Amino acid sequence: KDVRFVFGAKDTRHCLHSVCSADCGAMLQGTNRLQRGLNYMGHLRAVLPNYEPKYSIFYGGHNNYLAFLSHDWITWALPYNHRRFGVLDRVVKNEGHKEKGYKSRYYAAFECMKKCDDRSDCHSFTYNPVSGHCDLFDKCVTDDTGLVSTNSREAGDQTYYQKCKKNNRLYSDEEIDDDGEDSLPAWRRFGSTVVLSAGSAVLVSIAGFAAWRTGSLRRLRDSAAVREIT
């Protein structure tokens, strides 16, 4: 079975305060719920060879509502392609220019992802998992963009982001060198097109690129998936 665990980062109240079992056996597992949960993850690793438990820690206490609103639970359970979006622990300091807001009702995070996907000027959005409100922004965000402090009034909000778009295409400047008889030295991806370069450049569809990466370049050159740029 695919079993996953969710723990609250602030679920740290001592069990002697009548918030969880405080008998001798229970206290050996840890003095609070978060500690007990993480110790149990360690126990599973110890007794099940080659097993790595899947778990997430959300920003909140002993609150199932916040657990079900956490980013990881949503991406695990709800029907949207979340993999293009990253999420930060808090909202970024500089959010950029606001393009549109959605606050008329509770919006699940995946709905805000879809709203952002539908706009070429949306590169990130701010989301509050309690209110379900989101604001779309044009700012390009990375995983090292500066965040508001934990004491900030906006600390409960989170910034979701994806790689910046240029000309309405997902842009990545990722470049990889390959060696070997059937390989070209570098590639770049622009939306649904991959550019292979070696002296002259070649445009390749994603399907054709997969064939090239698996060593089928000779066959690929003879297919309709490739055309040279002059």
Side-chain angles (χ1 to χ4, degrees):
K1 293 184 178 180
D2 185 2
V3 179
R4 307 191 182 197
F5 304 86
V6 182
F7 305 115
K10 300 175 70 175
D11 197 2
T12 56
R13 190 175 179 186
H14 203 290
C15 291
L16 290 177
H17 296 158
S18 301
V19 295
C20 45
S21 178
D23 60 40
C24 184
M27 293 300 283
L28 286 173
Q29 300 173 38
T31 60
N32 59 64
R33 291 190 181 97
L34 176 59
Q35 186 181 43
R36 291 177 182 182
L38 295 178
N39 284 343
Y40 183 59
M41 299 299 97
H43 169 73
L44 292 178
R45 293 188 188 98
V47 300
L48 300 174
N50 301 319
Y51 176 73
E52 181 59 36
K54 298 176 182 178
Y55 69 92
S56 172
I57 299 176
F58 65 92
Y59 185 76
H62 191 62
N63 189 318
N64 65 308
Y65 181 68
L66 293 179
F68 293 143
L69 295 176
S70 66
H71 173 71
D72 285 328
W73 190 90
I74 288 171
T75 57
W76 290 340
L78 296 180
Y80 191 69
N81 178 13
H82 314 274
R83 294 182 180 179
R84 286 188 297 177
F85 283 88
V87 61
L88 302 175
D89 290 338
R90 299 183 300 283
V91 68
V92 297
K93 293 179 181 178
N94 178 11
E95 298 174 287
H97 180 263
K98 181 178 176 179
E99 302 298 339
K100 192 171 181 62
Y102 294 91
K103 300 183 178 181
S104 60
R105 60 174 175 82
Y106 187 95
Y107 290 85
F110 74 90
E111 292 183 279
C112 297
M113 294 178 194
K114 181 65 168 59
K115 298 289 187 185
C116 187
D117 264 346
D118 289 342
R119 298 181 64 102
S120 62
D121 54 3
C122 180
H123 300 141
S124 58
F125 65 89
T126 297
Y127 182 69
N128 186 295
V130 177
S131 67
H133 295 168
C134 56
D135 292 319
L136 312 186
F137 291 93
D138 64 353
K139 183 176 177 63
C140 294
V141 174
T142 63
D143 57 6
D144 59 356
T145 301
L147 308 180
V148 300
S149 71
T150 54
N151 297 324
S152 170
R153 185 174 56 183
E154 293 83 24
D157 295 347
Q158 294 176 295
T159 291
Y160 285 70
Y161 66 96
Q162 56 182 328
K163 288 184 179 180
C164 275
K165 298 174 182 176
K166 294 185 179 180
N167 299 325
N168 294 329
R169 287 182 173 180
L170 188 64
Y171 172 81
S172 172
D173 60 359
E174 184 176 11
E175 189 168 295
I176 296 179
D177 291 331
D178 287 283
D179 297 317
E181 181 182 352
D182 281 342
S183 65
L184 293 174
W187 64 273
R188 289 177 182 266
R189 175 175 175 174
F190 298 86
S192 60
T193 301
V194 174
V195 178
L196 307 178
S197 58
S200 61
V202 180
L203 286 179
V204 186
S205 69
I206 294 298
F209 177 64
W212 169 70
R213 293 289 285 175
T214 56
S216 306
L217 186 59
R218 287 195 184 94
R219 176 170 54 81
L220 177 61
R221 282 174 173 156
D222 296 332
S223 74
V226 178
R227 67 180 178 84
E228 290 190 359
I229 303 172
T230 59

